[in-house]
Amino acid sequence: MTPVVVVDLDGTLVDVNTFTRYILFAAKRLMWRFKPIAVAKIVAAAVSRKMRRIPHSEMKRRILCLTQPYMTDDDIMELTKKLLHRINPSVLNELEGYRSRGYLILLATAAPQLYAGSIATAMHFDGCVATQGFFSDDESWHENVGEAKLASVCDYLSSCGGQVSVVMTDHHDDLPLLRYNTGKNLLVNPSPKTLTTLSCHGIAFDLI
């Protein structure tokens, strides 16, 4: 089976929270397009999350619903270029080393497919699994995080005849994926909580 490197986006491949960058970028675009009501709703969703009135997934759902219909291909390309400037060089070097040895590279993230897919394409990755867009009420919608991310990775593996050989992440949210992996786990700038969580679950890892 083909070995696959599964790499996270926020805090791993790049050193920023990409959805925060997306919110700011999209809000500016909507202001330029004279959509002040939509911008006000974006701010309201962000404030509600900040005050913990809604979960992160609900904030993301609301903001994607408000912004995605207005984002053009040119917008996404511009955002992608901005985010590519935040690539972690150590992670990039690791990925290039694995790629040279025939590994497939899969970007697996809770960030929206809207721009995560563009990043994966720009970096010539072999695939991307991310949070899908949202346009209307859909009870099946969910973030690509935790067990859902593991399921989407497994779907990708089935489609390409691959197996996870390396997982690169910064966060204990990827615990299901790290437990599933029988190969190497690489942590990028992990928090003390992430280190403690993985140690408590007996998960071996190396640091980048």
Side-chain angles (χ1 to χ4, degrees), residues 75-138:
D75 290 333
I76 299 305
M77 184 56 64
E78 182 175 344
L79 176 62
T80 297
K81 289 178 180 178
K82 291 178 181 294
L83 294 175
L84 289 175
H85 285 301
R86 304 309 301 256
I87 295 292
N88 183 322
S90 297
V91 172
L92 182 59
N93 287 338
E94 287 283 342
L95 292 175
E96 291 300 334
Y98 283 113
R99 196 204 305 262
S100 69
R101 300 201 298 274
Y103 286 63
L104 298 181
I105 309 297
L106 173 67
L107 182 62
T109 176
Q113 179 71 33
L114 180 64
Y115 60 81
S118 179
I119 291 172
T121 297
M123 297 194 68
H124 306 290
F125 288 174
D126 299 284
C128 175
V129 291
T131 297
Q132 297 304 306
F134 190 91
F135 289 102
S136 60
D137 291 334
D138 182 357

Side-chain angles (χ1 to χ4, degrees), residues 11 14 28 35 70 138 146 177 180:
V14 299
K28 290 178 181 178
K35 303 292 182 182
Y70 299 105
D138 182 357
L177 185 57
Y180 173 83

Side-chain angles (χ1 to χ4, degrees), residues 4-8 95 103-109 120 125-129 149 152-154 156-157 164 166 168:
V4 178
V5 179
V6 180
V7 58
D8 183 39
L95 292 175
Y103 286 63
L104 298 181
I105 309 297
L106 173 67
L107 182 62
T109 176
F125 288 174
D126 299 284
C128 175
V129 291
K149 181 189 280 193
S152 65
V153 168
C154 288
Y156 174 82
L157 297 175
V164 177
V166 181
M168 301 175 68

Side-chain angles (χ1 to χ4, degrees), residues 20-33 39 42 63 66-68 70-71 75 79 114:
T20 298
R21 297 299 176 99
Y22 171 76
I23 293 171
L24 296 172
F25 180 88
K28 290 178 181 178
R29 283 295 187 272
L30 265 62
M31 284 298 293
W32 293 352
R33 289 165 187 158
V39 173
I42 291 172
I63 291 176
L66 288 164
T67 60
Q68 188 167 332
Y70 299 105
M71 292 297 101
D75 290 333
L79 176 62
L114 180 64

